[in-house]
Amino acid sequence: MAQGTLLYAQSGGVTAVINATASAVIAEARARKVKVLAARNGILGALREDLIDTGKESAAAIRALAHTPGGAFGSCRFKLKSLEADRARYERLLEVLRAHDVRWFLYNGGNDSADTAWKVSQLAEAFGYPLHCIGVPKTIDNDLAVTDTCPGFGSAAKYTAVSVREAALDVAAMADTSTKVFIYEAMGRHAGWLAAAAGLAGQSPDDAPQIILLPERAYDEAAFLAQVRKVVERVGWCVVVASEGIHNADGQFVADAGGAKDSFGHTQLGGVASYLAGRVKEALGYKVHWTLPDYLQRSARHLASHTDWAQAQAVGKAAVRYALEGRNAVMPVIVRGSDAPYRWRIEPAPLAKIANHEKKMPASFIRKDGFGITERARRYLQPLIQGEAPLPYGRDGLPKYVTLKNVPVARKLPAWKE
Amino acid sequence: MAQGTLLYAQSGGVTAVINATASAVIAEARARKVKVLAARNGILGALREDLIDTGKESAAAIRALAHTPGGAFGSCRFKLKSLEADRARYERLLEVLRAHDVRWFLYNGGNDSADTAWKVSQLAEAFGYPLHCIGVPKTIDNDLAVTDTCPGFGSAAKYTAVSVREAALDVAAMADTSTKVFIYEAMGRHAGWLAAAAGLAGQSPDDAPQIILLPERAYDEAAFLAQVRKVVERVGWCVVVASEGIHNADGQFVADAGGAKDSFGHTQLGGVASYLAGRVKEALGYKVHWTLPDYLQRSARHLASHTDWAQAQAVGKAAVRYALEGRNAVMPVIVRGSDAPYRWRIEPAPLAKIANHEKKMPASFIRKDGFGITERARRYLQPLIQGEAPLPYGRDGLPKYVTLKNVPVARKLPAWKE
């Protein structure tokens, strides 16, 4: 049995499989007889000394965690500043870690969280405290550098492709006398990975989605409307997938173009799909429907990809191994061996290479006209949505998601005022 | 082998399981050696003599149809007027039916389609043509009279309950530093059945959805906002499910309250969730997210209810039987024997009792405060989402949905000008 405690925390937007990572972390640490605490709401729980004793959870609960979406310990949107600017917070953090004999800290998140993990990983040297900090990847945005893909993305991608294919069958059936254009808004503020994944729903240019709008290309309204018209005239209907982050040539987000007010002067929250739907209706006169799946796309564990689910667990397991081996400032990343069959392995990569880098889609993934994806993008994306992750359903017709007890650890320190 | 042809058509908004009904109709007719044609785009296909020979489809394709969402033969939104007002159309319809020796007509749809089916069923007597017309139920709105439930509803209800539970896990994880209120817009213009089904996602008043807004109760903004604040203060976050059809005490649809214009004077298409999100943000200052699943909720075959799927097939099979037995102007309806275990059977009911009636939710299904459902509603709804309908996935990670060949039948009549 290793000396000390492992602290695990979840950060940033949660996913359908971040709890699969948590489950793997806890199971792997248990197998190695290491005690695991979880910080409630990410790094904030560590600062607040709001810790959870995962030892109080049954083995069955930890197994069920692997198929439960959301973030079982709570997440946060909070970024630590530099050591100089945030010294009081770092000192408090170390105080809490010391009080609970935390020697290993696993921070599970996306870009901002990798930055936080990297900063914490530097504390050992700065303060002379023996801490091993491992970043654990997670983000539906798929924008972490170095790693082949990010746990959470594959499941959201599968949700997107399946939902677009299903909705397209609906639109195709109704187009003669009803909706001719359907617009799907995908998450992705800076990179169009999820919108691109919708491209897996079809094979030919006439299959849905016939148009994909990506933030990597400037939104040109005239070209977009002309393309919609062309598709409707050729196919009879048109499915558009738009990334929430599309912007015009001046860099203005299309989602911000509105700031619409209703007749009472209230702000109407819109978004890209709502805006595009309004433009198609006004400019082309087609009947339009649109969808904003929002959180549904990142919490749909019922449609998780097996590849994604397996990778989410693999990075959790590797993170524990790296920590106990005494590594610091690394992240277990996914390395692709081949596309088809998809082969991958986990390797450690320096957090410094990952924090604050943002992986955009390569230009070679985007079709010349900007409205679709290339074969190369397909080869990259295809394996990420493959396979279905097992999910038990109850007699009530709902998935059997677990609610952990989340028993708090007794506080040893005075309360902390932020 | 019976003399004559059976004509099947799909009408109104399609569902995750209307093709399961189509599959059962074709399989049952084949077993009885009856030829089945399908009209493309509902009754319009019959008027246009745009018919499809289902005999050209393989047995495997017809089996796969049972797990394919959308409407394989195309649907329509089109209502025939009275015999007096629409005489030319009825005469054309009979001409087409005669030309193809159609003796049995099965019309698969919701309220408006039941009305069309009833009108067509009266032709036999009016024109002396031996036609047997059977209405086949389908609608995610669950608002057909007489029948216990409507094929299509149970799957949309399951989608709603599962999606709300999943999204709630996401919101709960993020609420400390991010989204505190999440709003889900469910279909249902006149009756709140789908929004009510979201109530199955939770058991206690603190479980999501903590607030359900139904069209059966007038929307009172002050009461709604006060309730949101109360829930957030008690639980830390709040999930609201709103029926698209909610309206204020004057009968004005909340979705129409806006008519918002953006800064360029373009209309922004909104909806209920968008409007409510704006109000919560402005009045209470909480961070809000919202979703408009739109067609996703009625095409999500990947999350179909087994009960619903079985019933969709049962009504298709019964419709063929009724037709061949020489019945006319009836619909196979679902009769509930008991709640738990759920027992049901199919019986014929007169179309005259179904057409143009709209089944709203009984008052006893709605909680006194108007923000949730009662135990009685739960007992009714619970069995409808039970069980998972089998669905094969391909190696590409997508469900194996079938595309029929839809081979047209050679026209025998001159073209018809509408």
Side-chain angles (χ1 to χ4, degrees), chain A residues 169-205:
Chain A
L169 290 169
D170 192 306
V171 176
M174 304 302 297
D176 183 53
T177 50
S178 184
T179 301
K180 285 200 168 39
V181 179
F182 183 71
I183 303 176
Y184 180 108
E185 179 167 338
M187 282 183 164
R189 194 83 177 152
H190 304 293
W193 291 106
L194 269 185
L200 297 175
Q203 293 293 335
S204 88

Side-chain angles (χ1 to χ4, degrees), chain B residues 29 41 52 62 69 81 90 95 145 147 165 171 173 191 202 222 232 237 239 255 263 266 322 375 397 406 415 417:
Chain B
N41 296 312
I52 292 162
I62 298 306
K81 300 199 187 90
Y90 286 104
E95 206 181 1
T147 188
R165 179 174 279 191
V171 176
V232 171
W237 50 274
V239 171
S263 43
H266 297 141
Y322 296 165
E375 273 311 310
N406 281 357
K417 284 288 282 184

Side-chain angles (χ1 to χ4, degrees), chain A residues 12-15 41 44 48 68-72 74-78 158-159 161-167 169-174 176-179 182 184 187 200-203 221 252 256-271 274-275 277-279 281-282 287-296 298-303 382 385-388 391 393-403, chain B residues 12-15 41 44 48 68-72 74-78 158-159 161-167 169-174 176-179 182 184 187 200-203 221 252 256-271 274-275 277-279 281-282 287-296 298-303 382 385-388 391 393-403:
Chain A
V14 295
T15 78
N41 296 313
L44 288 171
R48 295 167 181 161
T68 300
S75 186
C76 72
R77 294 209 178 276
F78 182 83
K158 187 179 182 106
Y159 174 92
V162 172
S163 297
V164 166
R165 180 174 279 193
E166 290 180 333
L169 290 169
D170 192 306
V171 176
M174 304 302 297
D176 183 53
T177 50
S178 184
T179 301
F182 183 71
Y184 180 108
M187 282 183 164
L200 297 175
Q203 293 293 335
E221 191 149 283
Q252 191 199 21
D256 297 342
K261 298 274 183 192
D262 69 18
S263 42
F264 304 114
H266 296 141
T267 300
Q268 187 170 294
L269 303 183
S274 154
Y275 175 81
R279 296 304 300 128
K281 189 182 170 189
E282 280 196 332
K287 182 167 179 194
V288 188
H289 263 241
W290 87 97
T291 181
L292 176 69
D294 196 66
Y295 288 167
L296 306 192
R298 70 182 203 192
S299 60
R301 177 56 182 80
H302 74 267
L303 203 48
Q382 187 63 74
I385 71 163
Q386 268 168 357
E388 293 68 56
L391 178 60
Y393 280 77
R395 291 188 56 193
D396 61 359
L398 296 170
K400 283 178 147 177
Y401 295 141
V402 71
T403 304
Chain B
V14 295
T15 77
N41 296 312
L44 288 172
R48 295 168 182 160
T68 300
S75 187
C76 71
R77 294 209 178 276
F78 182 83
K158 186 180 183 102
Y159 175 92
V162 172
S163 297
V164 166
R165 179 174 279 191
E166 291 181 332
L169 291 169
D170 192 307
V171 176
M174 304 303 297
D176 184 52
T177 50
S178 183
T179 301
F182 182 72
Y184 180 108
M187 280 182 164
L200 297 174
Q203 293 293 332
E221 191 150 282
Q252 191 198 20
D256 296 343
K261 298 276 184 192
D262 70 17
S263 43
F264 304 113
H266 297 141
T267 300
Q268 188 170 294
L269 303 184
S274 156
Y275 175 81
R279 296 305 300 129
K281 188 181 171 189
E282 279 196 335
K287 183 168 178 194
V288 188
H289 263 240
W290 86 98
T291 181
L292 175 68
D294 197 64
Y295 287 166
L296 306 193
R298 71 181 201 192
S299 59
R301 177 56 182 79
H302 74 269
L303 203 49
Q382 186 63 74
I385 70 164
Q386 270 168 357
E388 294 69 54
L391 179 60
Y393 280 77
R395 291 188 58 193
D396 60 0
L398 297 170
K400 284 177 146 177
Y401 295 141
V402 71
T403 303

Side-chain angles (χ1 to χ4, degrees), chain B residues 361-410:
Chain B
M361 283 216 299
S364 62
F365 279 22
I366 305 171
R367 225 167 57 192
K368 261 205 177 136
D369 69 2
F371 291 127
I373 59 169
T374 60
E375 273 311 310
R376 203 156 158 183
R378 253 172 222 288
R379 280 200 302 276
Y380 167 75
L381 291 165
Q382 186 63 74
L384 307 183
I385 70 164
Q386 270 168 357
E388 294 69 54
L391 179 60
Y393 280 77
R395 291 188 58 193
D396 60 0
L398 297 170
K400 284 177 146 177
Y401 295 141
V402 71
T403 303
L404 298 185
K405 289 183 280 184
N406 281 357
V407 177
V409 175

Side-chain angles (χ1 to χ4, degrees), chain A residues 306-327:
Chain A
H306 193 281
T307 299
D308 189 37
W309 185 62
Q311 291 178 337
Q313 293 174 87
V315 295
K317 191 173 169 175
V320 171
R321 208 174 65 232
Y322 296 166
L324 298 182
E325 285 170 7
R327 290 180 193 265

Side-chain angles (χ1 to χ4, degrees), chain A residues 113 161 227 319 409:
Chain A
S113 318
Q227 188 73 6
V409 175

